[in-house]
Amino acid sequence: MNVIGDLISIDPYITINTSSQNYGNIIAGGTETKSYSVTADVSAPTGHMAQFTFNISASLGITGSGAFSVVIGQIPVLIICMDENHNSSPAIMAALDSVQVAYEIQTSFPTDLSLYTSVFVCLGIYSSNYVLGSADGQLLANFLNAGGKIYMEGGDTWYYDAQTAVHPMFNITGCIRRNGVI
């Protein structure tokens, strides 16, 4: 009965335009949805993680709260870990955490890379490496052509695997080392 929701943020880059909403009476097991209006300051750094708190109260002294965060602008880094052994992704995450750069990690290629500024692609090492397919290569090439940045690792992808649209964009010529000779 008489449910009120309040959205709060002390983030210097956030202005909450609609901070309080009246949800009215919600029946047992029911749900109610409301929208809150929030504005990010134009000086907010791309990828800034804004923190929010949501408080709810109702008749008879019922209260609750929760916290969440939202990234402003593009997410700085996407890590695509196709390596089933996860050789590099933990080190990449630790490095990004140490400099407080926001990132997401996925174990498959998303359909839309425009949400990200840069992509780290971990393909793994033989015999458990991921072979980049033509659709994946085209997705990455389109991302580079749109101004994105890519780091891609996996020795086999540069020599043994079929080349995709993205491979020539790195200007890497793969070679085999035999007995110390290239």
Side-chain angles (χ1 to χ4, degrees):
M1 304 292 285
N2 301 313
V3 179
I4 303 287
D6 295 306
L7 184 63
I8 301 163
S9 180
I10 59 170
D11 191 292
Y13 299 112
I14 296 296
T15 300
I16 299 176
N17 305 313
T18 308
S19 60
S20 187
Q21 294 274 2
N22 184 344
Y23 289 75
N25 299 332
I26 303 173
I27 62 170
T31 61
E32 183 68 37
T33 302
K34 295 284 183 178
S35 296
Y36 290 78
S37 173
V38 176
T39 303
D41 191 278
V42 295
S43 65
T46 300
H48 173 71
M49 191 81 68
Q51 304 295 322
F52 293 88
T53 302
F54 183 73
N55 295 326
I56 197 158
S57 61
S59 296
L60 304 175
I62 297 171
T63 61
S65 67
F68 63 96
S69 57
V70 174
V71 174
I72 298 172
Q74 286 181 307
I75 299 166
V77 176
L78 170 64
I79 302 167
I80 302 173
C81 184
M82 304 304 290
D83 177 5
E84 63 187 54
N85 294 316
H86 307 288
N87 289 301
S88 297
S89 56
I92 294 168
M93 290 186 298
L96 293 170
D97 286 339
S98 73
V99 293
Q100 299 179 340
V101 172
Y103 63 88
E104 288 185 354
I105 183 162
Q106 295 188 23
T107 55
S108 63
F109 279 86
T111 56
D112 183 11
L113 293 176
S114 68
L115 299 173
Y116 309 95
T117 303
S118 59
V119 177
F120 286 68
V121 183
C122 303
L123 298 173
I125 56 175
Y126 183 80
S127 65
S128 58
N129 60 304
Y130 178 82
V131 177
L132 201 62
S134 61
D136 300 333
Q138 189 61 58
L139 177 74
L140 294 172
N142 293 345
F143 178 71
L144 280 176
N145 285 327
K149 299 169 189 77
I150 296 176
Y151 165 83
M152 186 164 73
E153 68 175 23
D156 285 6
T157 198
W158 303 112
Y159 185 78
Y160 292 106
D161 300 343
Q163 300 296 281
T164 69
V166 76
H167 285 88
M169 298 175 87
F170 284 88
N171 294 317
I172 293 175
T173 303
C175 59
I176 297 178
R177 181 180 291 251
R178 294 183 196 271
N179 300 323
V181 178
I182 297 179

